[in-house]
Amino acid sequence: PPKGKGPQGKRITLKMAKNAVRVLFNGRRRLELSKMGIATFPKCLLELADVEEIDLSRNMLRKIPNIIEKFQNLVWLDLHSNQIDELPPEIGTLKNLTFLNLCNNKLTTKGLPEELTQLRNLRTLNLGLNCLETLPTTLGSLKELIELGLFDNSLTIIPKSVKKLPKIERMNVKRNPLPEFAKEEEPIDTVKRVESLYLVEKKDLCNICLQTCKGERDELHRLEDMTPGPSDKPSFPLLTTPNSTARDNQEEWRMK
């Protein structure tokens, strides 16, 4: 925005950025700049362009600049909870990226560049809580995707190419105006109900069937016997118990 307009955000110095680098147990270096009040991508981060992970979540970022292409080692990029409305085409150059979180931003369909589909190693992509009305069918080329978050958008259709992703295990499409959610889901009946009932006399059953029936009947009686009946234990609901142990022993200590 023009100078003086919009949030200026916190200025991140190179020293601050260097102090924000953490080495993870797997040896990767993560630049942790979450919740720092950052409104523009700090150019000083170019000095740390060899890090494998960047966390810029929960800031005030509106744009991701094209200099993101300098971060060629990136495997993990978390940008959730910002104000991002579009991604630069250069995002597609990050060939090693396996995790990309863009949840809770202002992304529109127009703001998703076609180059996003060049991230062929991507396993997790979170686009939930954005302003997407349609999805590019080319997302179906992300063959390594295991998790895809599409919840809380304005999607009315999920392309077949996306539905048929070969490795997908979790796809969250909740709270979208999809036709399949238009009908009220019928309540799930947890009780097994008998559709047909056949009556037969014992003499008409072979020995194996007879033994099976007897076994099931005995099991039913056993379950009935296990069902707890009304408790005979005295209850004193108006008695204030000092603690949970006393509550279990209330009869004993009341008698005393």
Side-chain angles (χ1 to χ4, degrees):
K3 206 168 184 179
K5 289 190 179 179
Q8 296 303 300
K10 186 173 179 178
R11 185 170 173 270
I12 301 296
T13 64
L14 181 56
K15 184 180 178 182
M16 290 166 69
K18 283 181 175 176
N19 288 336
V21 175
R22 305 281 179 270
V23 179
L24 306 181
F25 71 92
N26 57 10
R28 287 189 199 160
R29 291 155 302 158
R30 179 181 293 181
L31 182 53
E32 294 186 349
L33 293 171
S34 181
K35 294 183 281 189
M36 297 285 282
I38 301 169
T40 52
F41 191 90
K43 287 189 177 174
C44 69
L45 298 189
L46 284 172
E47 297 290 326
L48 301 167
D50 59 345
V51 295
E52 290 85 13
E53 303 194 359
I54 294 181
D55 183 357
L56 276 165
S57 64
R58 297 186 175 96
N59 282 296
M60 302 182 293
L61 290 168
R62 292 178 296 279
K63 302 285 178 195
I64 298 301
N66 55 12
I67 56 171
I68 195 71
E69 68 183 345
K70 302 291 184 186
F71 295 79
Q72 283 299 306
N73 288 346
L74 271 190
V75 176
W76 191 94
L77 179 57
D78 194 345
L79 298 167
H80 86 263
S81 304
N82 278 284
Q83 306 289 318
I84 301 164
D85 56 8
E86 65 176 347
L87 295 172
E90 288 77 8
I91 195 87
T93 66
L94 306 178
K95 305 294 185 189
N96 294 312
L97 213 58
T98 62
F99 175 97
L100 178 57
N101 190 353
L102 292 159
C103 175
N104 194 21
N105 277 286
K106 297 184 182 299
L107 285 168
T108 60
T109 306
K110 191 180 173 185
L112 294 181
E114 194 176 325
E115 288 78 3
L116 192 63
T117 61
Q118 293 171 12
L119 302 177
R120 297 297 167 91
N121 287 308
L122 213 54
R123 290 175 190 170
T124 298
L125 175 60
N126 193 343
L127 294 168
L129 282 163
N130 276 287
C131 311
L132 302 174
E133 292 185 351
T134 57
L135 278 181
T137 55
T138 47
L139 281 185
S141 62
L142 300 177
K143 304 295 185 189
E144 296 299 313
L145 265 191
I146 295 170
E147 291 183 284
L148 178 57
L150 299 171
F151 53 91
D152 293 284
N153 277 287
S154 301
L155 300 170
T156 54
I157 190 168
I158 307 293
K160 280 183 183 176
S161 61
V162 175
K163 282 183 179 177
K164 292 183 177 180
L165 282 164
K167 294 189 180 178
I168 203 81
E169 290 177 12
R170 291 174 290 280
M171 189 188 299
N172 187 343
V173 297
K174 290 178 181 176
R175 293 175 298 279
N176 278 284
L178 293 163
E180 52 258 51
F181 291 117
K183 301 174 190 172
E184 271 191 41
E185 290 182 15
E186 290 183 17
I188 297 167
D189 191 347
T190 55
V191 180
K192 287 186 178 178
R193 304 192 182 274
V194 179
E195 295 295 328
S196 305
L197 182 65
Y198 299 96
L199 299 177
V200 66
E201 290 189 38
K202 278 186 188 179
K203 63 180 175 65
D204 295 326
L205 287 172
C206 70
N207 196 43
I208 295 171
C209 294
L210 188 59
Q211 291 307 315
T212 303
C213 290
K214 279 183 178 177
E216 290 185 2
R217 185 188 62 190
D218 293 344
E219 178 68 12
L220 185 62
H221 289 325
R222 190 177 68 79
L223 289 171
E224 284 173 353
D225 293 341
M226 287 171 62
T227 307
S231 175
D232 296 327
K233 188 176 178 181
S235 176
F236 308 101
L238 299 177
L239 186 64
T240 304
T241 58
N243 56 44
S244 58
T245 308
R247 188 179 295 116
D248 292 337
N249 301 313
Q250 61 183 352
E251 183 187 4
E252 183 185 331
W253 58 260
R254 179 183 167 107
M255 295 309 175
K256 289 178 181 176

